Amino acid sequence: MTKTLSFAEIGKAAKDLLSGGFQLNQKLTASTKTESGVEFTVSGVKKDDKLDGDIKVAYKTSCYSADIKVAADSKVTSTVSYSKLAPGLKVALNGSIPDKASGKLSFDYTQPLYVVKGNLGLTSTPKADLNVSVGHAGLTVGAEAGYCTKSSSVTKWSIGAAYAASDYKCALLCVDKGNTYKASYVHAVSGTSSVGGEVVRNLAKESTTFTVGATHKLESGASTKVKIDNTGIASLLYEQEFTPKTKTAFTLQFDTMNLNKSAKVGVAIDAKA
């Protein structure tokens, strides 16, 4: 049986192809896991002249998971989840310090033919988000909405549909309260190569943008990606896995309409002990 997508996963195939892995900063991530199951992760990112980073500690069992992350600006974020209340149901509490209004109670209820997800802010005038999707035989349709009790207004709504076959995936989305429309298509040319594209129409700006791309896995275990958008900005990605737990990615971005302009380069190293 084909998996029913959550609403957030509608259009994800094109997003992974056209955005996944591309980054123009210098990023280093290192993680290790103890025998007791506690995982420590340290991340650092250099963007222009600014250096940022965080430390994360996580623990997971078959019933629950917990993590805490401390950012360079001293912001502390934590999440605790439990997945044994009922079959397919997962609930979580998350929040951050010092943001007192960041607390949220969220749930994820997944069944073979439908997925329901939502969250509720833990304040006196909370905001609530809910998304629902149903699927059958490769077709998934869904919708999401947000509501603010303080202003008694709908903060967002979106609808979408996706279809997944053995060799291609396509999706249509109407987001931003009907202001933006997205159409995407990804085709698996072979077991190692895929091509795809996405078209976005913004009614308020009266603009249409598109991006096309391709990915290919090499015999050495490396993978490559290339994409170009309607403005002529092209990006190349080369990702190499040196060991089963360590990989490095290089991104090059340049303007095909102005080759005299300096190219941008990004490097990401992800090491696991």
Side-chain angles (χ1 to χ4, degrees), residues 1-259:
M1 178 181 292
T2 305
K3 174 188 173 184
T4 297
L5 304 177
S6 67
F7 184 80
E9 292 175 318
I10 295 178
K12 186 176 181 295
K15 183 178 181 181
D16 289 344
L17 173 64
L18 302 174
S19 301
F22 292 101
Q23 65 89 33
L24 298 174
N25 305 315
Q26 285 70 53
K27 183 178 181 180
L28 173 62
T29 302
S31 60
T32 185
K33 193 172 185 179
T34 66
E35 293 182 358
S36 60
V38 179
E39 185 172 4
F40 296 87
T41 304
V42 179
S43 298
V45 180
K46 184 179 184 296
K47 184 177 181 180
D48 298 327
D49 295 328
K50 183 180 178 181
L51 184 62
D52 198 5
D54 58 65
I55 299 174
K56 181 179 179 180
V57 181
Y59 181 73
K60 183 177 181 180
T61 70
S62 60
C63 298
Y64 68 90
S65 64
D67 64 68
I68 183 170
K69 182 171 69 173
V70 181
D73 59 0
S74 299
K75 182 178 180 179
V76 180
T77 305
S78 62
T79 302
V80 179
S81 65
Y82 185 72
S83 58
K84 292 296 183 179
L85 286 177
L89 177 62
K90 180 180 179 180
V91 295
L93 282 171
N94 59 74
S96 61
I97 299 173
D99 186 358
K100 297 180 180 180
S102 65
K104 286 184 180 181
L105 172 65
S106 62
F107 72 92
D108 180 337
Y109 187 53
T110 302
Q111 293 296 315
L113 297 179
Y114 61 90
V115 180
V116 183
K117 294 186 179 185
N119 62 74
L120 178 68
L122 301 178
T123 64
S124 58
T125 54
K127 293 181 179 180
D129 293 326
L130 179 69
N131 66 73
V132 180
S133 61
V134 295
H136 178 67
L139 176 65
T140 300
V141 295
E144 71 169 356
Y147 185 78
C148 178
T149 59
K150 183 177 182 179
S151 60
S152 299
S153 62
V154 176
T155 57
K156 66 178 181 180
W157 64 261
S158 306
I159 57 175
Y163 182 75
S166 60
D167 60 345
Y168 71 88
K169 297 178 181 179
C170 57
L172 291 172
L173 281 164
C174 171
V175 300
D176 300 333
K177 295 184 178 180
N179 185 59
T180 304
Y181 294 82
K182 300 179 180 181
S184 62
Y185 178 83
V186 176
H187 181 73
V189 180
S190 67
T192 58
S193 300
S194 297
V195 297
E198 181 181 59
V199 178
V200 180
R201 173 65 178 176
N202 188 298
L203 299 183
K205 297 180 180 179
E206 297 185 348
S207 65
T208 301
T209 60
F210 67 84
T211 306
V212 295
T215 182
H216 179 69
K217 293 182 180 180
L218 305 177
E219 294 181 357
S220 62
S223 62
T224 59
K225 281 186 179 182
V226 58
K227 68 174 181 177
I228 186 168
D229 62 25
N230 58 289
T231 65
I233 301 299
S235 299
L236 305 174
L237 170 67
Y238 178 82
E239 189 174 80
Q240 175 70 60
E241 188 174 30
F242 293 103
T243 69
K245 295 183 178 181
T246 301
K247 61 182 179 180
T248 302
F250 302 91
T251 301
L252 174 67
Q253 184 184 88
F254 58 95
D255 188 348
T256 61
M257 309 299 290
N258 182 10
L259 296 178

